[in-house]
């Protein structure tokens, strides 16, 4: 498809920092991921790290070249992010046929992972579309910690599997809250025979099976059974079941993993724009005319008052209640004039 070639050349997902201020007045940055859903009108939504999600779901539309045109996405809330150990779990809506993930919506804005042997038709979201996958191609990263922080052995290592941007963002939270040793993610290809992590190693799915935590120390014998939610799963090893390190990672994932925000409420903004684009100039001209009219009216009133009643009252006041200083000056002028007249008459 021609448009997909453009997708491969352009980056449709960008991380943008949002500046926030906490109660102590300290500023910090909350990263976000922009998800472009169509090139027809560049419609986009935001996936927010620590965001609450929710709102109404929308459809990928107006782009016949998009591989998932017509699918709904968004609308899921943070509290719905958890799944089970079964692939295809964790769908707040659209997960009716539990034997396949093909044709499903994207409640959190992202696509599900894919596994080898086209398990549950997951190849529909395979590596052929990694360039336009929300958050980037599928990667994985090891999660280790120092025994001084948690009572763990060197063999207790977990792997986070998901899109690139989600892994980069949540690694900050893993390091901050769970003392995870920082590590860069690497490309994950579950179809390779020597893949580090297998389908059977998944401990927990999140975000409509688009993100997972796994451990090579765990082997779920029910993982290859479609609709395994009804079959249960192999219990976790005891050291893993009660591990405070695993519990910390699980809690942070549920709280911080990037999910799609609800769309902004643009009803008020739209109404304002409509008013000022259709009748705005008329209203503006009318307001200017009213202000100019008020200005000239006040000016005329002032001129009338100071040249009419105020002037008469001022003269009447000065007549009966003259200012002593002004009266003294007037008498001095009169005496000076009389003296000059007398001088002139006596001149030889």
């Amino acid at each position: 498809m021609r448009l997909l070639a453009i997708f491969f050349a352009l980056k449709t997902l960008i991380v943008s920092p949002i500046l926030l201020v906490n109660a102590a007045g300290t500023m910090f940055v909350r990263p976000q991921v922009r998800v472009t859903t169509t090139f027809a009108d560049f419609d986009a939504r935001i996936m927010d790290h620590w965001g609450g999600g929710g709102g109404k779901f929308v459809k990928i539309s107006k782009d016949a070249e998009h591989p998932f045109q017509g699918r709904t996405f968004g609308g899921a809330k943070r509290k719905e992010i958890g799944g089970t150990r079964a692939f295809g779990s964790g769908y707040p809506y659209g997960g009716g046929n539990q034997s396949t993930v093909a044709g499903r919506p994207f409640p959190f804005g992202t696509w599900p992972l894919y596994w080898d042997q086209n398990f549950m038709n997951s190849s529909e979201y395979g590596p052929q579309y990694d360039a336009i996958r929300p958050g980037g191609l599928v990667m994985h990263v090891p999660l280790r910690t120092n025994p001084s922080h948690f009572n763990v052995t060197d063999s207790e290592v977990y792997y986070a599997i998901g899109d690139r941007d989600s892994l980069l963002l949540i690694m900050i939270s893993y390091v901050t809250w769970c003392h995870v040793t920082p590590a860069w993610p690497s490309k994950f290809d579950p179809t390779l025979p020597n893949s580090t992590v297998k389908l059977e190693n998944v401990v927990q799915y999140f975000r409509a099976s688009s993100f997972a935590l796994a451990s090579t120390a765990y082997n779920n014998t029910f993982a290859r059974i479609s609709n395994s939610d009804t079959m249960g799963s192999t219990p976790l090893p005891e050291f893993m079941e009660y591990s405070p390190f695993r519990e910390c990672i699980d809690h942070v994932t549920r709280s911080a993993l990037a999910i799609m925000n609800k769309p902004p409420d643009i009803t008020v903004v739209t109404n304002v724009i409509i008013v000022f684009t259709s009748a705005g100039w008329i209203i503006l001209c009318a307001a200017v005319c009213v202000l100019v009219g008020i200005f000239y009216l006040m000016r005329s009133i002032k001129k009338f008052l100071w040249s009419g009643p105020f002037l008469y009252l001022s003269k009447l006041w000065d007549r009966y209640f003259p200012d002593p200083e002004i009266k003294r000056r007037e008498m001095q002028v009169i005496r000076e004039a009389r003296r000059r007249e007398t001088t002139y008459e006596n001149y030889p």
Side-chain angles (χ1 to χ4, degrees), residues 277-325:
T277 52
S278 59
W281 287 109
I282 298 176
I283 296 174
L284 183 62
C285 292
V288 171
C289 293
V290 170
L291 291 176
V292 171
I294 292 175
F295 172 77
Y296 280 102
L297 177 63
M298 296 300 295
R299 184 176 179 182
S300 300
I301 293 174
K302 178 183 177 182
K303 184 177 181 181
F304 168 75
L305 292 176
W306 283 106
S307 61
F310 281 1
L311 181 60
Y312 173 76
L313 293 175
S314 177
K315 291 181 177 180
L316 192 63
W317 178 272
D318 291 341
R319 179 178 178 182
Y320 292 99
F321 304 97
D323 189 308
E325 180 63 23

Side-chain angles (χ1 to χ4, degrees), residues 15 28-32 49-50 141 143 164-185 252 256:
V15 177
F28 60 97
V29 174
R30 185 173 70 187
Q32 294 184 329
H49 190 54
W50 293 92
V141 62
L143 305 177
R164 177 199 60 233
D165 289 346
S166 293
L167 287 175
L168 290 174
L169 296 183
I170 203 169
M171 175 56 72
I172 301 171
S173 301
Y174 286 152
V175 173
T176 302
W177 299 101
C178 301
H179 307 286
V180 167
T181 303
W184 287 101
V252 169

Side-chain angles (χ1 to χ4, degrees), residues 90-103:
Y91 278 77
Y93 65 86
N97 185 358
Q98 297 184 14
S99 64
T100 179
V101 293

Side-chain angles (χ1 to χ4, degrees), residues 175-248:
V175 173
T176 302
W177 299 101
C178 301
H179 307 286
V180 167
T181 303
W184 287 101
S186 57
K187 185 177 180 180
F188 178 65
D189 188 352
T191 63
L192 297 177
N194 60 345
S195 176
T196 305
V197 180
K198 307 291 186 181
L199 173 66
E200 293 80 2
N201 301 139
V202 174
V203 175
Q204 179 75 46
Y205 284 102
F206 301 91
R207 205 177 59 181
S209 294
S210 65
F211 195 90
L213 292 178
S215 171
T216 55
Y218 174 66
N219 184 66
N220 182 11
T221 58
F222 295 90
R224 293 278 173 185
I225 303 175
S226 297
N227 195 15
S228 59
D229 253 346
T230 61
M231 304 293 294
S233 60
T234 302
L236 295 176
E238 186 174 347
F239 80 91
M240 192 181 299
E241 178 71 30
Y242 303 104
S243 169
F245 180 46
R246 184 193 64 81
E247 291 178 354
C248 182

